[in-house]
Amino acid sequence: MTTFPADAPAPLREARERIHARNAGLPTFLQAVDEVFADLAPLVAQQPDLVAHALLDRLAEPERVLTFRVPWTDDAGRVHVQRGYRVQFNGALGPYKGGLRFHPSVTLDTVTFLAFEQTFKNALTGLPLGSGKGGADFDPKGRSDAEVMRFAQSFMTELHRHLGDDVDVPAGDVGVGAREIGYLFGQYKRLAGRFEAGVLTGKPPAWAGLAGRASATGYGLAYFAERMMDARGGTLEGRTCVVSGAGNVARYAARKLAAFGAHVVACSDSTGRVHDPAGLDVDLLDAVKDERREGLAAYADARPGATFTADATVWDVPCDAAFPCATENELDAGDAKALIAHGVTLVAEGANMPCTPGAVDAFREAGVAYGPGKAANAGGVATSGLEMRQNARFETWTEDRTDEGLRDVMAHVHAACTEAARRIGRPGDLAAGANVAGFERVAGAMHDQGVV
Ligand code: NDP
Ligand code: 2IT
């Protein structure tokens, strides 16, 4: 439920009011809090003891928020200053865990909302992972490798003192892939004076990384969608799909959906949208986005039959299934109505909170199967958990072993959401199920550990 219920139990309503009053400058964070708290109403009404000892206030207050200066020098010798962040949100279930985002739009609001979402996502995986998120308002676009390296080294020079393989374990997110993780790891190693393999995840498999981590979020999203289809007695085969974004999550999702026999006909980036009725050529997308670091117009130039539209989204391309994989609040109520008018039956989120509350309401009203990001994209962080396990045991896993682990986790997450939704009287509502199941696990641990 996305509109906060006026008749919610008093402890929930009052905690929400306190949280809103003290976080007025963080609207995206408050949006995420409201989405979770609204779905907790039936649970709190049944079991008010669950939220005793100000549990809700503690759940919505990060354990620690770090902001720091990140100066760096560009290739022309000019000095720039960015703002770095790490929000260590909840450590009840394990070391803080969550990605780093390098994008000019990053603010305290961004990283706080992402870290809060990560709390429930990581809980849903069933693994021993606390939650965190970080990043900086650095724009890697148009920067040379040497500039990205100098920035990453400066960022880690401050962050390293707050990390450790049993303290806080960052990974990638928007703008942070294998290249950035490599530079960050190199600087951590130099400062720490030891090869602490498990301090970062998403490392290249050639040295301490896990084969299958790079593809895990996108593949996991497709596995989750497969479960959603199965629950309604269908499959992905022959379905027309669109994905937004053209980054790590979008491209691996497109690959696995195509492997399931779906037709993935559109994707997008910050410059516009590509429509390719013959089905996306993901190898070409890799070349355009990773090797050449260009916009999607270059894809259409190289691909007969594909069209590029500047500043357009994928939401008006007719499809059976839609996968928002770019960024938060990228799909609003108007987009949802366009998708519904074209007959969409499934929406699963690769990105974190890409659908606005109005869009989620529209999907629920229309009976569209809706998979929330904190469940549908949990395969990335879950596989990071496997990378931590590999590193702790001094092992090297095969991609097949990782894939088996990923499939198991996605099945577990889907089952946990389905079971919780049924238990609170909202069968099939995976968003409500995700919020309740994630909450129950983290709240249980917080209760056991006392008022901390
Ligand atoms: P990437 O940086 O690899 O790709 C992001 C894509 O989205 C790019 O195509 C980018 O366009 C586009 N994009 C990003 N921000 C904006 C914006 N503000 N406006 C318009 N377009 C934008 O990131 P990921 O694929 O890793 O992440 C995508 C989403 O998935 C994010 O919400 C992230 O939090 C989430 N996620 C990522 C996980 C992971 O393991 N990487 C795990 C779980 C969730 P352009 O190329 O033009 O910059
Ligand atoms: O949003 C996410 O779950 C991620 N960016 C992945 C986090 C991780 O630690 O692998």
Side-chain angles (χ1 to χ4, degrees), residues 97-99 118 121 133 171-173 201 213 352 380-381 384:
K97 183 81 194 92
Q118 200 84 44
K121 183 195 305 192
K133 202 84 186 193
D173 193 80
T201 61
R213 170 61 187 93
N352 288 304
V381 74
S384 281

Side-chain angles (χ1 to χ4, degrees), residues 10-312:
L12 199 57
R13 238 182 22 246
E14 289 163 13
R16 174 180 178 264
E17 278 164 23
R18 287 190 294 274
I19 293 160
H20 272 250
R22 73 185 341 176
N23 292 291
L26 306 179
T28 321
F29 169 56
L30 292 176
Q31 178 187 335
V33 169
D34 279 1
E35 272 190 38
V36 172
F37 278 25
D39 285 335
L40 298 182
L43 191 72
V44 175
Q46 279 165 13
Q47 303 175 60
D49 283 357
L50 270 182
V51 297
H53 311 302
L55 186 125
L56 293 166
D57 298 72
R58 287 188 286 135
L59 189 66
E61 185 68 19
E63 290 182 16
R64 196 167 298 104
V65 178
L66 311 161
T67 74
F68 48 95
R69 177 171 70 203
V70 190
W72 60 283
T73 307
D74 68 21
D75 288 345
R78 241 184 93 213
V79 176
H80 302 255
V81 177
Q82 312 308 142
R83 187 168 293 168
Y85 303 92
R86 185 72 180 167
V87 177
Q88 299 180 331
F89 213 109
N90 193 303
L93 292 172
Y96 307 113
K97 183 81 194 92
L100 298 171
R101 180 177 291 192
F102 292 168
H103 193 274
S105 66
V106 167
T107 63
L108 182 61
D109 185 30
T110 319
V111 287
T112 309
F113 120 71
L114 287 165
F116 179 77
E117 288 288 283
Q118 200 84 44
T119 306
F120 302 89
K121 183 195 305 192
N122 294 5
L124 275 174
T125 66
L127 295 168
L129 301 171
S131 63
K133 202 84 186 193
D137 57 354
F138 171 71
D139 188 356
K141 278 213 186 85
R143 293 295 174 191
S144 68
D145 287 354
E147 289 174 321
V148 171
M149 181 183 75
R150 285 195 292 276
F151 172 77
Q153 289 177 339
S154 181
F155 182 86
M156 186 53 90
T157 299
E158 172 55 33
L159 187 63
H160 87 282
R161 72 192 78 246
H162 308 289
L163 305 184
D165 58 11
D166 57 358
V167 179
D168 185 350
V169 182
D173 193 80
V174 173
V176 178
R179 173 182 64 168
E180 291 74 19
I181 291 291
Y183 296 147
L184 289 164
F185 187 85
Q187 184 71 351
Y188 181 88
K189 181 169 59 96
R190 179 157 70 162
L191 292 164
R194 61 182 182 278
F195 195 103
E196 190 183 334
V199 74
L200 287 171
T201 61
K203 303 175 293 293
W207 51 270
L210 179 70
R213 170 61 187 93
S215 53
T217 311
Y219 284 11
L221 176 64
Y223 295 153
F224 195 85
E226 193 188 25
R227 296 266 154 188
M228 291 171 69
M229 280 288 187
D230 185 60
R232 294 190 169 207
T235 69
L236 287 161
E237 195 175 352
R239 308 279 171 178
T240 299
C241 301
V242 300
V243 301
S244 67
N248 169 279
V249 180
R251 279 182 271 142
Y252 281 111
R255 271 191 199 283
K256 189 55 82 177
L257 291 167
F260 284 150
H263 305 300
V264 189
V265 298
C267 69
S268 59
D269 68 4
S270 58
T271 64
R273 167 244 284 170
V274 149
H275 185 200
D276 188 347
L280 292 174
D281 176 344
V282 184
D283 289 340
L284 178 58
L285 279 175
D286 287 346
V288 168
K289 297 302 296 183
D290 281 350
E291 286 160 33
R292 290 148 57 182
R293 296 193 183 269
E294 288 181 324
L296 284 178
Y299 175 94
D301 287 346
R303 174 93 169 151
T307 50
F308 172 75
T309 312
D311 300 324

Side-chain angles (χ1 to χ4, degrees), residues 312-378:
T313 69
V314 296
W315 313 128
D316 55 350
V317 175
C319 65
D320 302 307
F323 298 87
C325 298
T327 193
E328 56 272 15
N329 290 327
E330 57 164 314
L331 194 168
D332 65 16
D335 300 322
K337 286 186 184 124
L339 284 164
I340 292 163
H342 282 129
V344 79
T345 59
L346 180 147
V347 176
E349 297 179 336
N352 288 304
M353 212 169 73
C355 295
T356 65
V360 177
D361 284 343
F363 293 138
R364 276 177 167 143
E365 274 162 33
V368 172
Y370 167 67
K374 58 173 76 80
N377 73 34

